[in-house]
Amino acid sequence: MAYRLTRTSVSAGLSYTRLIRRALATTSAAASTADPTSATSDNRKGSRRKHLVFNNRTGPSLQHFLAQPLGTQSTEASNAEPEVVPYMATVSDWGEGRKYYVEVYGCQMNVSDTEILMSVLNKAGYQRTMVLEDADVIFLMTCAIREKAEDRIWSRLAFLKSLKTKARPDRAPLVGVLGCMAERLKERLLESDRLVDVVCGPDAYRSLPRLLSLRAMSADGVANVMLSADETYADITPVRLDENRISVHLSVMRGCNNMCSFCIVPFTRGTERSRDIDSIVSEVRRLSQQGVREVTLLGQNVNSYRDTSPSTAFGDSAAGGSELSRGFSTIYKRKDGGRRFAELLHRVAQVDPEMRVRFTSPHPKDFPDELLQVIRDSPNVCRTIHLPLQSGSTTCLQRMRRGYSRDAFLELVHHIRSVIPDVALTTDVIAGFCGETEDEHRDTVDMMRTVGFDNAFMFAYSMRERTHAHRRMLDDVSADVKGRRLAEIIDAFHETARAKNQRLIGSHGLVLYEGLSKKRARPFGSDDYGHKVFLDVPAGMSLAPGDYVRVRIDRASSASLTAAAVEKTTLARHYCDYPQPGYLDSRSSDHYLNDMAAPSDADRAFS
């Protein structure tokens, strides 16, 4: 039994507060009617759980809220932090020192979301614990992009059930599922043999403390999976999972409008909306002051960033900005105006010349020349561009609704390399999409060799419910064929990546030192091009995380480099001694440091 509360219910003249009171009262009435000992009856085998679900689609019927009259209750909102959520305003049971434990699965956006929810929970009086057995609440931040990712969560939930029922029956922790899987499978999670107590979607983290309170009050399972058209959490300062990390991921926009036929993201993350540029730049300044040496700007489609809010620091937003990469199209109408990603990247890079800046994950359609020029002309913007291919076949790309052809993608690659000669390109590739033929697969293998990507994330296709492919297509490529095709794509990637990396042997590069590797405790760091670099550090050289090191590449594989540490340096000094190709080809390295401080073409363009 699930009571679903949606915005559509407001049109009937009922406030959210009244709706919830009536839903909870109806839940209690139904339970007491079924069994006078309802406080314990839910523990009996075969009983049916009663859930309270907040979502965007299905609303409750009138009888859900007319089961019995309610007495007069106070409607005053709680003054407790975090921010008051109107439709949960009567709940006041806060953390009071209760401990929570969180496990993160999936992409870097989930890491960023975890740091946001930790801030919300800490303000509400909860405390994080690093010991699972000490937790009063256990959260799993989940991913729904592939079936294998969801299978891991179901296995973990089964383990946590044994912890609740066997290891700690006297103090059983609540279990919460958060993130994309929460939005996609909310009812199944709540009805899954008492595995889950709270389900919270990506846009509902502000309500999490009160969902926990509602769960404690009466409902057997509580879910808030409402998707928002404007939630960006811009006003929340994240609590970092690792306060000592020198590299941080910073969310600048959420959601995706592209509606690729294979992708679940628009259905679990909602439509695109962007944080205001002032809040982003302010957060980057704080990170710089805290000693962070690298920031990665995050978004499901990060280079479609579009900020239309008023800015106190950067003036009015510019007109235009809706140009697509040549040969690319969309299935939705793009909007003009607003500050675009090129300006955001430029403003962030200006904050600290010694802080490296990356971004992920972009879409190939959103690479105007202005963006390429910012990457080329900003020494602290890493010359790595993630360019998701997905397939090397034009006909397969059409079924995927990617909005480009094989030739258009190759033309974009050529153009990017003409502007940024030493750029590193990384990609995503899917093997065995619906209807994929051997010829289409060979096109993809050929594309991997033609482009020569520096890194690649390659997976066999996994159909997701609710996607266009799930509604209109058949997952007709067998698992064996998918596996073989994936192996051939992987082999093609390693072949070209190994050859490219070996050409770097003997060259000098700049590495940001990160510390010792987990497996073998080897000194390592990363270069501007996304390579993991293991370091041979000479005796007498002392390195601390966050140091820049000039290195000489000695060995190379398809996945990593090994280099001799030559000397500690700074980002600015290194690129003065070793100017980057492109913009600086026509400039004197003697003026390089002055160029970094002087107004650039981008400064004038965005003024």
Side-chain angles (χ1 to χ4, degrees):
M1 182 184 301
Y3 295 98
R4 303 178 182 87
L5 306 186
T6 77
R7 290 188 177 92
T8 59
S9 305
V10 179
S11 62
L14 296 172
S15 70
Y16 273 117
T17 302
R18 292 174 62 197
L19 288 174
I20 288 176
R21 288 182 195 149
R22 293 190 177 190
L24 292 176
T26 305
T27 301
S28 300
S32 60
T33 300
D35 191 330
T37 60
S38 59
T40 60
S41 64
D42 284 341
N43 292 325
R44 297 195 314 269
K45 184 177 181 180
S47 65
R48 192 174 184 183
R49 303 185 74 186
K50 299 166 287 298
H51 312 306
L52 186 60
V53 180
F54 303 85
N55 64 29
N56 295 76
R57 288 178 297 281
T58 54
S61 61
L62 183 62
Q63 56 266 32
H64 288 161
F65 308 106
L66 300 180
Q68 64 179 36
L70 297 177
T72 303
Q73 300 182 38
S74 171
T75 59
E76 293 182 1
S78 169
N79 292 324
E81 289 288 330
E83 179 178 321
V84 170
V85 181
Y87 53 85
M88 297 180 185
T90 59
V91 180
S92 60
D93 179 18
W94 298 108
E96 298 176 349
R98 295 181 180 87
K99 297 179 181 180
Y100 68 91
Y101 178 90
V102 60
E103 296 179 359
V104 187
Y105 300 83
C107 66
Q108 290 298 333
M109 183 63 78
N110 277 0
V111 175
S112 177
D113 280 3
T114 300
E115 295 176 340
I116 289 169
L117 76 91
M118 285 171 56
S119 179
V120 172
L121 291 169
N122 290 356
K123 286 183 179 179
Y126 289 86
Q127 298 177 3
R128 183 188 181 195
T129 177
M130 303 299 290
V131 180
L132 176 68
E133 290 74 16
D134 291 344
D136 300 295
V137 189
I138 300 169
F139 294 115
L140 305 183
M141 178 65 75
T142 65
C143 173
I145 198 71
R146 280 176 291 277
E147 185 176 3
K148 184 176 180 181
E150 292 186 354
D151 289 343
R152 292 180 63 193
I153 299 301
W154 287 115
S155 297
R156 190 61 173 162
L157 288 173
F159 167 79
L160 294 178
K161 181 184 178 181
S162 67
L163 179 68
K164 295 175 66 171
T165 59
K166 297 177 182 179
R168 285 175 48 185
D170 58 329
R171 192 171 65 89
L174 296 180
V175 174
V177 173
L178 317 173
C180 293
M181 187 174 168
E183 202 290 329
R184 196 180 87 80
L185 297 173
K186 52 270 184 184
E187 293 182 3
R188 182 182 168 192
L189 286 165
L190 290 176
E191 295 169 0
S192 57
D193 195 25
R194 305 182 182 278
L195 296 179
V196 179
D197 300 286
V198 175
V199 176
C200 187
D203 292 346
Y205 298 137
R206 294 180 193 270
S207 70
L208 191 53
R210 294 181 179 181
L211 291 176
L212 294 170
S213 298
L214 286 171
R215 171 63 183 85
M217 288 170 61
S218 61
D220 278 340
V222 183
N224 186 354
V225 291
M226 297 185 76
L227 292 176
S228 170
D230 52 18
E231 178 64 89
T232 64
Y233 301 108
D235 60 318
I236 294 179
T237 301
V239 174
R240 301 300 172 191
L241 284 165
D242 183 354
E243 296 180 353
N244 297 319
R245 281 190 63 85
I246 59 167
S247 180
V248 165
H249 290 78
L250 190 157
S251 176
V252 300
M253 60 88 66
R254 303 174 71 85
C256 182
N257 294 344
N258 291 316
M259 299 299 291
C260 299
S261 62
F262 56 82
C263 188
I264 192 66
V265 167
F267 303 97
T268 59
R269 291 280 182 173
T271 56
E272 293 174 5
R273 62 272 191 200
S274 300
R275 282 180 61 179
D276 63 282
I277 193 170
D278 289 358
S279 72
I280 297 169
V281 173
S282 295
E283 185 169 349
V284 173
R285 288 197 184 100
R286 287 196 299 270
L287 294 172
S288 173
Q289 293 166 0
Q290 294 167 7
V292 170
R293 275 286 165 257
E294 181 178 88
V295 62
T296 300
L297 307 182
L298 280 182
Q300 271 79 29
N301 188 17
V302 68
N303 55 338
S304 70
Y305 176 88
R306 176 176 173 268
D307 172 30
T308 59
S309 65
S311 170
T312 59
F314 304 116
D316 296 332
S317 60
S322 61
E323 301 83 4
L324 292 172
S325 304
R326 183 175 176 180
F328 287 69
S329 63
T330 67
I331 65 173
Y332 65 92
K333 184 177 180 181
R334 291 167 60 83
K335 298 179 180 180
D336 288 330
R339 297 174 187 84
R340 298 289 173 158
F341 187 65
E343 178 173 358
L344 173 66
L345 186 63
H346 171 66
R347 301 298 186 190
V348 168
Q350 283 185 313
V351 169
D352 183 353
E354 291 297 316
M355 175 188 282
R356 289 200 312 201
V357 183
R358 302 184 187 273
F359 60 91
T360 197
S361 177
H363 191 285
K365 74 179 191 303
D366 292 309
F367 277 99
D369 284 348
E370 292 85 355
L371 176 54
L372 299 178
Q373 289 161 5
V374 169
I375 299 170
R376 179 195 66 189
D377 298 347
S378 305
N380 59 332
V381 175
C382 294
R383 295 189 167 203
T384 305
I385 292 179
H386 189 62
L387 212 59
L389 170 66
Q390 308 302 359
S391 173
S393 163
T394 294
T395 52
C396 194
L397 289 168
Q398 290 171 346
R399 293 197 302 278
M400 290 178 168
R401 304 207 299 187
R402 289 291 289 170
Y404 54 87
S405 65
R406 172 189 176 94
D407 289 342
F409 189 92
L410 286 172
E411 183 178 347
L412 176 62
V413 168
H414 175 75
H415 180 61
I416 291 174
R417 285 174 169 164
S418 71
V419 178
I420 313 169
D422 61 334
V423 68
L425 298 178
T426 63
T427 198
D428 299 331
V429 182
I430 295 173
F433 182 65
C434 301
E436 185 185 65
T437 66
E438 283 298 325
D439 285 343
E440 290 174 331
H441 164 63
R442 282 192 288 271
D443 283 344
T444 300
V445 174
D446 178 72
M447 183 73 104
M448 299 298 288
R449 293 193 172 100
T450 300
V451 175
F453 293 103
D454 294 82
N455 198 2
F457 302 91
M458 301 158 285
F459 303 96
Y461 174 63
S462 175
M463 181 171 275
R464 303 282 77 199
E465 294 179 3
R466 297 168 59 188
T467 61
H468 178 80
H470 182 259
R471 296 193 305 269
R472 303 291 181 86
M473 302 179 192
L474 294 176
D475 187 8
D476 53 1
V477 181
S478 69
D480 289 344
V481 173
K482 286 179 182 177
R484 179 204 21 108
R485 291 177 181 177
L486 177 60
E488 291 174 1
I489 291 170
I490 291 173
D491 288 344
F493 160 71
H494 283 296
E495 175 187 324
T496 56
R498 185 180 301 107
K500 288 187 69 175
N501 287 350
Q502 286 178 347
R503 290 196 291 270
L504 297 174
I505 293 176
S507 64
H508 288 261
L510 181 69
V511 168
L512 179 62
Y513 178 65
E514 299 181 31
L516 301 178
S517 63
K518 292 182 179 179
K519 289 185 177 180
R520 300 182 181 179
R522 296 178 62 188
F524 81 100
S526 59
D527 64 12
D528 287 0
Y529 307 100
H531 298 115
K532 188 171 187 177
V533 183
F534 294 102
L535 300 177
D536 294 325
V537 182
M541 180 183 292
S542 176
L543 296 178
D547 286 342
Y548 286 108
V549 188
R550 183 166 69 88
V551 303
R552 184 189 67 250
I553 309 300
D554 292 336
R555 298 183 299 279
S557 69
S558 60
S560 65
L561 306 175
T562 301
V566 177
E567 64 176 351
K568 290 199 290 188
T569 184
T570 66
L571 188 150
R573 175 54 59 187
H574 175 81
Y575 287 121
C576 175
D577 296 335
Y578 298 89
Q580 296 164 299
Y583 176 66
L584 288 171
D585 285 349
S586 60
R587 291 175 178 258
S588 167
S589 62
D590 293 339
H591 298 99
Y592 189 71
L593 294 175
N594 292 332
D595 289 344
M596 292 182 65
S600 66
D601 293 340
D603 288 316
R604 290 182 281 272
F606 298 128
S607 297

